[in-house]
Amino acid sequence: MTQGYLNKVYDARDAAQTRALYDDWSDSYDAEVAENGYITPSRCAEALAKFAKDQTAPILDFGCGTGLSGLALKLAGFETIDGMDLSEEMLAQAEAKRLYRDLTVIDADAPLAFKPGTYAAIAAIGVIGAGAAPISVLDTLLHALKRDGLLVLSLNDHALEDKTNEARINEWLDCGAARLLLREHGPHLPGIDLGSNVYVLEKA
């Protein structure tokens, strides 16, 4: 199995280093993760589809990368998808797939450039964890949802080793600010024997 960038991606780095790594990886990303059986996008999309009341309503694919998550969301029945990512090179690959209504380059430290409540659902698939976005992104995305909005996210086994990640999810649940609709462990990248939790949260 090819692991050129998978050997590097889970190392800690700052936002600029993360952007540079994903820019460099953009041309070979789809092939490398496909060879290793990347299944979390379809697991997340199918989980979200179980709870979404209206699959025609716009949804946000946050950290959309090359668009593999957008493809999974389309195949699960979602019709209007916007994407955001910090890597321009990854977004160029996503744009070529012609899946998205709109694609936006974001800065890791900048606020989200849309009004809260814009999206009925937000997906953060493979976004939070070691070598990627911090768990504070969970707060940002849940605040961006209106009441009863849905958030689907994944934490791979590396992210789950850091107990603060799932603890932050539990803080939202314990105070009643969000409801847990699904939490399910399963395969993430079977080629490197890595699993992930998929969560669907509903903002209270």
Side-chain angles (χ1 to χ4, degrees), residues 38 40-42 44-45 61-63 69-70 72-73 123-128 152-154:
Y38 187 35
T40 293
S42 60
C44 285
D61 184 8
F62 183 84
S69 46
L73 290 164
I125 300 170
V127 169
I128 296 169
V152 63
L153 72 148
S154 63

Side-chain angles (χ1 to χ4, degrees), residues 60 112 114-120 122 138-147 172 203:
L60 175 64
L112 296 177
F114 60 86
K115 293 180 179 179
T118 298
Y119 297 102
I122 298 176
L138 175 78
D139 302 334
T140 301
L141 297 180
L142 280 168
H143 285 305
L145 285 170
K146 62 183 177 182
R147 185 178 178 185
W172 277 85
K203 186 173 179 179

Side-chain angles (χ1 to χ4, degrees), residues 9-202:
V9 70
Y10 300 117
D11 296 333
R13 63 181 65 80
D14 63 25
Q17 293 170 326
T18 298
R19 177 183 287 109
L21 181 139
Y22 279 96
D23 280 345
D24 291 344
W25 194 8
S26 59
D27 285 340
S28 61
Y29 177 87
D30 285 8
E32 185 172 343
V33 297
E35 185 178 346
N36 287 281
Y38 187 35
I39 195 171
T40 293
S42 60
R43 290 180 57 217
C44 285
E46 290 163 11
L48 182 61
K50 290 179 183 177
F51 300 101
K53 298 178 178 68
D54 179 6
Q55 288 184 290
T56 68
I59 69 170
L60 175 64
D61 184 8
F62 183 84
C64 63
T66 63
L68 292 180
S69 46
L71 177 59
L73 290 164
K74 280 283 188 185
L75 291 173
F78 294 97
E79 298 181 13
T80 306
I81 309 168
D82 292 341
M84 292 184 173
D85 201 271
L86 54 73
S87 167
E88 289 190 50
E89 297 299 326
M90 286 281 196
L91 285 176
Q93 299 286 335
E95 186 172 17
K97 291 181 172 67
R98 303 176 68 87
L99 298 164
Y100 294 91
R101 179 182 67 173
D102 186 55
L103 288 166
T104 305
V105 180
I106 55 174
D107 190 302
D109 299 318
L112 296 177
F114 60 86
K115 293 180 179 179
T118 298
Y119 297 102
I122 298 176
I125 300 170
V127 169
I128 296 169
I135 191 59
S136 58
V137 166
L138 175 78
D139 302 334
T140 301
L141 297 180
L142 280 168
H143 285 305
L145 285 170
K146 62 183 177 182
R147 185 178 178 185
D148 298 332
L150 300 177
L151 173 65
V152 63
L153 72 148
S154 63
L155 295 177
N156 67 34
D157 288 342
H158 293 301
L160 290 170
E161 288 174 4
D162 182 347
K163 300 303 182 185
T164 61
N165 289 328
E166 199 165 39
R168 185 69 65 89
I169 294 174
N170 289 332
E171 286 176 13
W172 277 85
L173 302 177
D174 292 345
C175 74
R179 292 179 285 271
L180 180 66
L181 303 183
L182 179 141
R183 174 175 11 213
E184 182 177 79
H185 192 267
H188 177 63
L189 285 161
I192 57 172
D193 195 29
L194 193 67
S196 65
N197 272 0
V198 168
Y199 307 81
V200 180
L201 306 178
E202 182 180 54

